[in-house]
């Protein structure tokens, strides 16, 4: 993917990643820590995580195309390096979202049958909750760092610190 309606695809696709990764992270943590929320979200949680995961390589590929069409710059290189690190976080969100969804589905089925060991289930939920919190935090921090470096790369020396033209009057 290179251009969308005359604009570099990366500058449009990046908004999908910036919205979906944090949204998935928040939904994952809520579902992991609150079983009722996991049941209510149902398959929407892993589906959201899958779309977020798929958006990362699309955005990265579009960014690599854009990198080849702008001047060589240390800030752009830094942004590219950081961007390459988001895929493992997005994959972690997806795997945990599937696990949380599956566990909630299984717990719901077991509660209808009246079985299951509560202590083991509680320990498992705590472990998944802690892991989900760690991966979600890592993903959101990484999105922030990548976005910050991209904004610096795009806007450094690209505007005047004082107003110019007709609007300054």
């Amino acid at each position: 993917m290179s251009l969308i309606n005359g604009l570099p695809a990366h500058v449009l696709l990046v908004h999908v990643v910036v919205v979906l990764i944090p949204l998935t992270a928040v939904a994952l943590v809520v579902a992991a820590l609150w079983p009722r929320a996991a049941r209510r979200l149902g398959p929407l949680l892993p589906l959201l995580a899958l779309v977020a995961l798929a958006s990362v390589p699309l955005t990265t590929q579009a960014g690599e195309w854009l990198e080849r069409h702008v001047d060589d710059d240390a800030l752009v290189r830094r942004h590219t390096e950081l961007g390459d690190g988001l895929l493992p976080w997005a994959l972690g969100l997806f795997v945990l979202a599937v696990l949380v969804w599956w566990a909630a589905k299984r717990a719901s089925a077991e509660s209808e049958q009246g079985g299951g060991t509560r202590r083991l289930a509680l320990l498992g939920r705590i472990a998944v909750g802690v892991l989900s919190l760690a991966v979600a935090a890592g993903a959101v921090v990484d999105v922030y760092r990548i976005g910050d470096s991209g904004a610096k790369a795009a806007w450094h020396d690209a505007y005047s610190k004082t107003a110019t033209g007709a609007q300054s009057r």
Side-chain angles (χ1 to χ4, degrees), residues 76-99:
V76 171
R77 286 191 305 276
R78 174 75 175 141
H79 175 64
T80 302
E81 290 169 8
L82 288 173
D84 288 339
L86 184 58
L87 189 58
W89 291 111
L91 182 59
L93 288 174
F94 174 70
V95 168
L96 286 166
V98 170
L99 180 62

Side-chain angles (χ1 to χ4, degrees), residues 37-118:
R39 288 190 300 274
R40 293 195 86 175
L41 283 171
L44 181 62
L45 177 62
L47 182 62
L48 177 65
L50 180 63
V51 173
L53 174 61
S55 70
V56 171
L58 289 175
T59 304
T60 302
Q61 288 173 356
E64 289 170 357
W65 178 90
L66 181 57
E67 181 184 21
R68 292 189 302 271
H69 290 84
V70 298
D71 293 335
D72 187 37
D73 182 85
L75 293 174
V76 171
R77 286 191 305 276
R78 174 75 175 141
H79 175 64
T80 302
E81 290 169 8
L82 288 173
D84 288 339
L86 184 58
L87 189 58
W89 291 111
L91 182 59
L93 288 174
F94 174 70
V95 168
L96 286 166
V98 170
L99 180 62
V100 167
W101 168 71
W102 176 80
K105 187 175 174 181
R106 183 175 169 190
S108 181
E110 284 179 0
S111 70
E112 288 176 8
Q113 296 173 355
T117 56
R118 292 179 190 252

